[in-house]
Amino acid sequence: MLALLAALVVALSAGLWLYDHSRRDVIAPGVTVGGVDVGGLDRAEAAERLEARLLPVLRTPLRVDHGDHSWVLGPKEARITADLPASVDEAVRASRSGSVLTRTWRSLTGSELGVALTPSVTYSDAAIVRLIDRVRKDVDRKAIDASVKLGLGGPAVEEGRPGLEVQATALHDRMRAAIASATKSRRLSAKTEKTQPKVTTAQAKAGYDTALVVNRGRFQLTLYKKLEKVKTYDIAVGAVGLETPAGTYTIQNKTVNPAWTKPHSSWVPEAERGQVVPGGTAANPLKARWLGIFDGAGIHGIDPSLYGTIGTAASHGCVRMRIADVIDLYDRVPVGSPIYIG
């Protein structure tokens, strides 16, 4: 009995081995290559099926769409090549996983192995990146920061606008997955996301709680608060050859009854240049208040005897105001406030 039992075991083992050996080139059920089912096929059959189903797909260009635009990556540019024997070898190796018993059991019961293999396909990843760069160049749009522009018409708000950005990493992953698959669509949509401005409208407005506009042609200075016109003052500006400097500046400093340092200019006697005239004195032409703008130019009051120059180009570059007006303006304008002179 023992001898008979041993003989049965040997015979069964030999039978299992012979059966398993006979199926050494047969791919287990449930094995796919690039989405192509090759389960139950031998090497030659698997290679034939892959050639029939995978190669035509690999020769189909990849297409990326966004709106009305399309970009195409052809197989030649992508340098796509497929090693079908290597793919079949990998499928066979996966099928031979486990022991003789487990392999035989899978074969006899038709149990699926459930292995999805990526085919042995090579391609130029640089070509994919180049196509994505073209997509980004055509689709990406930078966000525009909100801003406030000062001009003769006062502060004008330019609203911020969101930008648009291709989800390049996700598109790259999807293209790489599609380029070696027989089942994935080779027509992809470039997904985008909005990008927000770094400067919001509220942030842009915050720097313009107070603003000044000097209209040299009309001899007027206008005060704005929170972008709204508050008050307009009559002024005098620089004479011909000594013009009040045009441009956008900020109020640099403020002084009550400022001292005046005689400038090194041709209209000041050479011997007096650099002399300091104390504030609040009759000899000091800067009356009551000073709001510095740029390079010695500023806003200041003048002696009442010179009020007749208001509304003319009569100063040496500064903005002249009546004393009551410059005092009224002074307390309304903090240092750092923008001023446009045009």
Side-chain angles (χ1 to χ4, degrees):
M1 289 297 293
L2 289 176
L4 180 60
L5 181 61
L8 287 174
V9 171
V10 170
L12 181 60
S13 298
L16 286 175
W17 182 88
L18 288 172
Y19 179 81
D20 182 64
H21 185 70
S22 70
R23 299 186 63 81
R24 65 186 181 280
D25 290 329
V26 177
I27 299 171
V31 176
T32 61
V33 177
V36 178
D37 185 6
V38 291
L41 305 180
D42 62 24
R43 287 179 181 272
E45 292 169 335
E48 185 177 350
R49 181 173 292 184
L50 289 176
E51 184 175 355
R53 298 187 185 180
L54 183 60
L55 287 186
V57 176
L58 296 180
R59 297 189 184 106
T60 304
L62 279 179
R63 177 173 170 176
V64 176
D65 297 319
H66 180 77
D68 296 331
H69 296 278
S70 293
W71 301 263
V72 175
L73 178 63
K76 185 176 180 180
E77 182 185 358
R79 299 180 182 178
I80 298 175
T81 60
D83 188 346
L84 298 186
S87 297
V88 172
D89 287 344
E90 188 176 2
V92 171
R93 280 195 298 272
S95 302
R96 302 299 291 170
S97 62
S99 66
V100 171
L101 288 174
T102 57
R103 290 195 297 269
T104 302
W105 178 257
R106 283 200 305 263
S107 177
L108 294 176
T109 61
S111 301
E112 293 194 350
L113 190 58
V115 173
L117 300 174
T118 300
S120 239
V121 175
T122 61
Y123 55 87
S124 171
D125 192 64
I128 292 178
V129 172
R130 284 195 299 270
L131 183 133
I132 293 173
D133 286 343
R134 295 203 303 271
V135 175
R136 295 177 64 185
K137 182 179 179 181
D138 293 340
V139 175
D140 281 7
R141 182 178 67 241
K142 288 185 177 180
I144 297 177
D145 291 340
S147 64
V148 176
K149 304 293 184 183
L150 267 182
L152 290 177
V157 178
E158 294 187 2
E159 300 286 344
R161 296 200 299 273
L164 197 64
E165 190 173 273
V166 173
Q167 295 178 353
T169 300
L171 179 58
H172 191 188
D173 292 342
R174 289 161 57 214
M175 290 183 69
R176 293 182 66 181
I179 202 168
S181 172
T183 58
K184 292 184 181 296
S185 174
R186 299 180 81 78
R187 185 167 183 174
L188 309 174
S189 175
K191 297 180 180 179
T192 58
E193 58 187 352
K194 287 186 177 181
T195 58
Q196 298 303 317
K198 294 180 181 178
V199 180
T200 65
T201 300
Q203 290 170 330
K205 288 181 177 181
Y208 288 82
D209 284 345
T210 301
L212 301 172
V213 173
V214 173
N215 190 321
R216 296 179 299 177
R218 293 186 177 182
F219 305 105
Q220 290 180 332
L221 184 154
T222 302
L223 170 68
Y224 293 84
K225 286 287 188 179
K226 298 188 181 301
L227 310 182
E228 298 294 331
K229 184 187 294 186
V230 174
K231 190 171 184 179
T232 297
Y233 305 87
D234 295 325
I235 60 172
V237 295
V240 175
L242 297 168
E243 288 85 356
T244 303
T248 302
Y249 307 95
T250 58
I251 299 300
Q252 300 293 316
N253 49 69
K254 293 171 56 178
T255 311
V256 175
N257 290 324
W260 176 51
T261 301
K262 295 184 179 183
H264 292 268
S265 301
S266 58
W267 56 271
V268 177
E270 190 173 350
E272 298 179 15
R273 295 171 188 173
Q275 290 181 6
V276 178
V277 181
T281 61
N284 190 323
L286 310 182
K287 302 300 183 183
R289 302 288 186 272
W290 167 267
L291 296 90
I293 299 174
F294 171 76
D295 196 24
I299 303 167
H300 62 83
I302 56 170
D303 191 274
S305 65
L306 297 176
Y307 280 2
T309 65
I310 298 296
T312 68
S315 78
H316 296 104
C318 287
V319 176
R320 292 180 175 181
M321 299 183 71
R322 298 181 179 93
I323 289 176
D325 287 345
V326 77
I327 290 174
D328 178 69
L329 178 70
Y330 185 89
D331 291 333
R332 298 172 183 252
V333 181
V335 170
S337 298
I339 177 170
Y340 176 80
I341 302 173

